[in-house]
């Protein structure tokens, strides 16, 4: 998937998340997401802050506090961002900045696509909402996840399995065959499904 199409999907997914969140009750905002130790509110904050990342000084302080753990760094930044804003603020930020292409220092548009696709599902699935994932985008994200290793380690997680998409021209791995829609395979590789 080319850069321009990827950014279009990123914007669409940010808006889809905003639409889903706008209809939630206060209790639903506090529910656990599929992302371990993250509430729905924290996931929303993480996606809302992506086009408006913290500066190097804030990142450096947060990294020290996180003692080198990237997962803890991401979690702590998202929780802080969520705490400083109302749920309406988060929804409005997602909508207002949906098309922005600014990137955090440590990433690229391929990772942002992967991130927003998975995190929309992190919110939708536990709340019983349906959030369709574009097949071409899911295929691009699955390829990226398989190739990148850290932080998902999809090859290690799926060792001994051959993953075959039933709705896209995509496969990876070797071993016992697992046939599923590409969106399901993406979530499985990320550790959201076991």
């Amino acid at each position: 998937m080319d850069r321009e199409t990827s950014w279009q999907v990123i914007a669409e997914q940010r808006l889809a998340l905003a639409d889903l969140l706008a209809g939630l009750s206060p209790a639903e905002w506090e529910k656990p997401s599929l992302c371990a130790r993250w509430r729905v509110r924290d996931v929303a904050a993480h996606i809302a802050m992506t086009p408006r990342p913290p500066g190097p000084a804030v990142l450096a302080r947060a990294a020290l506090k996180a003692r080198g753990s990237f997962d803890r760094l991401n979690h702590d930044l998202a929780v802080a961002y969520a705490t400083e804003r109302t749920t309406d603020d988060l929804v409005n930020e997602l909508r207002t900045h949906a098309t922005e292409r600014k990137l955090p220092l440590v990433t690229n548009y391929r990772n942002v696509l992967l991130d927003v696709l998975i995190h929309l599902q992190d919110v939708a699935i536990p709340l019983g909402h349906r959030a369709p994932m574009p097949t071409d985008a899911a295929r691009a994200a699955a390829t990226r996840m398989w190739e990148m290793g850290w932080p998902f380690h999809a090859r290690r997680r799926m060792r001994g399995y051959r993953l075959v998409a039933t709705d896209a021209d995509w496969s990876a791995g070797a071993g016992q065959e697992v046939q599923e829609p590409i969106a399901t395979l993406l979530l499985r590789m990320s550790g959201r499904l076991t």
Side-chain angles (χ1 to χ4, degrees):
M1 176 174 280
D2 66 39
R3 177 186 290 268
E4 186 60 32
T5 305
S6 295
W7 279 114
Q8 289 170 4
V9 173
I10 290 165
E12 291 165 4
Q13 293 288 289
R14 287 172 176 166
L15 291 171
L17 178 59
D19 290 346
L20 188 158
L21 293 168
L24 298 184
S25 69
E28 287 174 311
W29 277 89
E30 301 304 319
K31 287 193 172 210
S33 74
L34 290 184
C35 190
R37 298 180 7 255
W38 291 47
R39 302 168 299 169
V40 165
R41 180 186 197 98
D42 305 327
V43 174
H46 174 70
I47 297 302
M49 71 187 289
T50 299
R52 302 177 64 212
V58 172
L59 276 178
R61 283 192 303 275
L64 285 173
K65 185 178 174 189
R67 297 187 186 123
S69 168
F70 182 77
D71 289 338
R72 184 173 172 195
L73 170 70
N74 259 345
H75 174 269
D76 292 353
L77 288 171
V79 169
Y81 200 85
T83 302
E84 297 164 356
R85 285 156 181 78
T86 67
T87 56
D88 286 342
D89 291 339
L90 292 171
V91 169
N92 289 335
E93 285 184 29
L94 283 164
R95 287 187 174 135
T96 300
H97 303 290
T99 60
E100 285 191 25
R101 297 180 178 194
K102 186 172 181 182
L103 293 167
L105 294 172
V106 296
T107 197
N108 60 51
Y109 76 91
R110 290 178 187 92
N111 294 346
V112 172
L113 175 66
L114 170 62
D115 199 51
V116 74
L117 289 171
I118 291 174
H119 284 315
L120 176 53
Q121 301 306 313
D122 284 340
V123 171
I125 292 170
L127 295 176
H129 291 265
R130 191 173 181 312
M133 189 184 295
T135 302
D136 287 343
R139 183 176 57 223
T143 298
R144 176 69 180 148
M145 184 181 288
W146 189 259
E147 293 171 350
M148 71 190 290
W150 179 86
F152 297 104
H153 304 286
R155 288 177 193 238
R156 183 179 347 150
R157 180 186 312 278
M158 302 310 298
R159 184 178 291 131
Y161 295 98
R162 176 160 176 72
L163 309 176
V164 179
T166 57
D167 58 349
D169 182 18
W170 190 90
S171 63
Q176 181 181 343
E177 195 164 286
V178 176
Q179 293 187 13
E180 296 177 306
I182 190 67
T184 304
L185 291 174
L186 180 63
L187 292 173
R188 189 169 306 290
M189 287 191 299
S190 73
R192 274 30 179 213
L193 304 176
T194 54

